[in-house]
Amino acid sequence: MIPPKKYAKEARIAPKGFNTANEFFESVFKDKNMIWMGQNTNHLHKDNFIMDAMANCVESKEYCKYPPPEGFEELKDLVLKDLDLENMDILITAGGTESLYLCMNDILESHNNVITSDPGYLIIDNFASRFASEVISVPIYSSDNDYKLTPELVEENMDENTKVIVLIDPLNPLGSSYTEEEIKKFAKIAIENDIYLLHDITYRDFAREHFLAAKYAPNHSITIFSFSKIFGMAGLRIGSIIANPEIIASVRTILINDLGTNVIAQAGAIAALHSKNKWIEYITTTTRNNQKIIKEAVDKIDGAFIPVYPSDGNMLAIDLKGTGVDPVEIAEYLLDKNIFTRQGTYTSKLFGDNYLRVSFSIPEEQVKIFAKEFVKAVETLQKH
Ligand SMILES: Cc1ncc(COP(=O)(O)O)c(C=O)c1O
């Protein structure tokens, strides 16, 4: 038998009652009544230009052809224009996930280390661990540092082998985000040490304000872009990598998806960017209002609190430590009520026992159901 690689131990664990994690996912996915608060996906788009563009692409049977390997020029230009980074280069990929992997693969050498945060999006640590000697996952679950990786924490934790600082901004799972001053400080650190900021902006458009590291450190920033969240296209698997032409030229040499990214997804993404100003306000207003409904429910429970409120993402964490309720148990309880949420261990190795993560880019009626069931769930589990 081929021995497992060092990172194999981090493979997904099957939840109770399922043989594999995949079986669990499929069962939740196929349940049409499930309230979807477990994946930070966006269910607020109405029938719109995005759907129409994809339907047209299917009807024309354009999908019989391979697309250009690095993405359609129109889509590349639209993403760069959306970010006001028109002097940068770009590759269209099968999602932020592929983008993250390609960057880690391209940049890291075996003696390097990478700075990430805990809580954070753990697949990034997993990818980094495949190419670096060490992943330094800095504990940030504290109000002392506003529940985020600060420039000071980075400086305390980095050394001469640090090559990449990962900034997830806004941060999954907490929804914390960076001020312009903080981004400038990170940019200074990257330039002075000649290292990279991997700026994962998957949740950017939910934020009240957002600042791109690429503006302040154009040659030391790599921006990871996703169509999964604000654009509501998670199942279509499309995203991109934006960086200076030299970095992109290097990543180009290790591309996996050499025959290009799904043409239907690209047609949808082009329509999504063209039409963004027509729907974005509805989505941000609804998600901000939904957060309030969740906050009101959490405020009813002694010992529970939301570490970062308001969240700048479409998700937030609810700290349950003071209630004595186990996040795994409450996630299972809610799943029984057809509400899919995530226990903290999905996004934290150190603080997973503290919180439940819920996303709220779903219709308001469903958030109201959650709010009611959540309060009942805590009360019921506290009695056990
Ligand atoms: C921080 C972060 N980056 C990347 C991704 C993955 O994005 P994509 O669906 O584009 O692969 C996620 C998904 O939840 C995420 O939370």
Side-chain angles (χ1 to χ4, degrees):
M1 199 177 110
I2 302 169
K5 294 258 166 44
K6 63 174 178 171
Y7 45 78
K9 63 181 183 297
E10 292 180 18
R12 289 195 182 95
I13 299 162
K16 218 160 80 188
F18 294 88
N19 291 321
T20 64
N22 207 62
E23 249 181 38
F24 164 73
F25 264 113
E26 184 160 336
S27 131
V28 188
F29 187 97
K30 285 188 170 159
D31 186 338
K32 302 250 186 296
N33 298 318
M34 191 62 76
I35 296 181
W36 210 255
M37 301 175 82
Q39 289 190 325
N40 306 340
T41 45
N42 180 357
H43 307 262
L44 289 170
H45 279 273
K46 301 180 178 157
D47 292 354
N48 63 12
F49 317 90
I50 305 173
M51 253 179 64
D52 292 345
M54 291 195 291
N56 286 340
C57 183
V58 171
E59 274 160 21
S60 69
K61 287 186 86 184
E62 273 196 333
Y63 58 82
C64 296
K65 298 183 270 187
Y66 286 117
E70 294 172 19
F72 287 110
E73 291 299 322
E74 183 181 6
L75 180 55
K76 290 168 43 174
D77 291 347
L78 282 167
V79 175
L80 294 179
K81 193 159 162 242
D82 185 59
L83 299 176
D84 191 24
L85 290 178
E86 277 141 310
N87 52 343
M88 294 276 168
D89 204 351
I90 175 167
L91 294 173
I92 301 297
T93 61
T97 308
E98 186 187 16
S99 306
L100 289 161
Y101 182 90
L102 287 171
C103 292
M104 294 301 186
N105 186 354
D106 188 54
I107 297 168
L108 295 170
E109 291 176 49
S110 55
H111 64 279
N112 292 148
N113 66 55
V114 176
I115 296 198
T116 64
S117 68
D118 184 328
Y121 188 52
L122 296 180
I123 194 72
I124 301 182
D125 300 49
N126 178 312
F127 289 163
S129 75
R130 301 179 193 199
F131 303 103
S133 69
E134 195 187 356
V135 179
I136 301 166
S137 183
V138 181
I140 54 129
Y141 195 74
S142 165
S143 56
D144 294 348
N145 44 270
D146 290 335
Y147 294 95
K148 60 186 171 183
L149 191 61
T150 60
E152 295 72 29
L153 281 173
V154 165
E155 273 169 335
E156 275 167 35
N157 284 280
M158 64 188 284
D159 61 26
E160 68 282 3
N161 289 320
T162 301
K163 188 76 184 195
V164 175
I165 300 164
V166 178
L167 300 177
I168 305 173
D169 172 28
L171 179 64
N172 175 14
L174 301 174
S176 39
S177 65
Y178 293 106
T179 63
E180 188 171 23
E181 275 320 296
E182 286 163 338
I183 289 290
K184 281 184 186 167
K185 283 188 190 165
F186 284 124
K188 191 161 174 268
I189 294 172
I191 293 167
E192 284 177 2
N193 294 280
D194 195 18
I195 61 176
Y196 293 104
L197 297 174
L198 193 60
H199 198 189
D200 181 330
I201 61 162
T202 294
Y203 301 97
R204 165 182 162 92
D205 286 312
F206 292 101
R208 290 159 297 171
E209 282 195 303
H210 192 269
F211 305 95
L212 291 168
K215 290 276 181 204
Y216 300 101
N219 296 321
H220 294 85
S221 298
I222 303 176
T223 308
I224 305 293
F225 186 97
S226 170
F227 280 93
S228 295
K229 310 298 175 170
I230 198 84
F231 300 97
M233 297 174 63
L236 287 150
R237 312 304 307 122
I238 179 161
S240 63
I241 307 174
I242 297 113
N244 77 11
E246 207 180 307
I247 297 171
I248 294 292
S250 177
V251 176
R252 201 175 267 130
T253 63
I254 54 149
L255 278 186
I256 303 166
N257 230 344
D258 192 38
L259 296 174
T261 300
N262 187 317
V263 276
I264 300 167
Q266 290 199 64
I270 289 170
L273 284 164
H274 275 307
S275 61
K276 191 174 170 190
N277 63 355
K278 297 198 168 66
W279 46 259
I280 188 149
E281 205 179 314
Y282 166 70
I283 291 182
T284 51
T285 311
T286 311
T287 46
R288 280 172 204 151
N289 186 49
N290 285 347
Q291 279 201 64
K292 284 192 198 140
I293 299 170
I294 297 171
K295 171 89 161 82
E296 279 162 23
V298 173
D299 285 348
K300 287 184 191 150
I301 295 169
D302 273 352
F305 69 98
I306 300 176
V308 179
Y309 186 85
S311 157
D312 271 316
N314 60 341
M315 89 305 278
L316 50 74
I318 304 173
D319 192 299
L320 293 166
K321 204 71 182 171
T323 66
V325 169
D326 177 355
V328 175
E329 279 182 21
I330 195 165
E332 279 170 6
Y333 177 102
L334 290 168
L335 199 62
D336 261 359
K337 309 281 172 205
N338 272 330
I339 303 171
F340 178 33
T341 59
R342 282 288 193 182
Q343 63 269 24
T345 47
Y346 188 68
T347 47
S348 174
K349 288 181 184 164
L350 301 173
F351 309 101
D353 293 342
N354 291 56
Y355 64 87
L356 180 76
R357 187 196 71 186
V358 296
S359 53
F360 42 78
S361 36
I362 56 171
E364 184 182 319
E365 316 82 76
Q366 296 187 348
V367 178
K368 285 184 173 157
I369 296 173
F370 165 80
K372 233 200 243 160
E373 290 295 344
F374 171 75
V375 175
K376 273 201 237 163
V378 176
E379 287 167 359
T380 309
L381 294 171
Q382 275 178 329
K383 284 187 199 138
H384 283 185

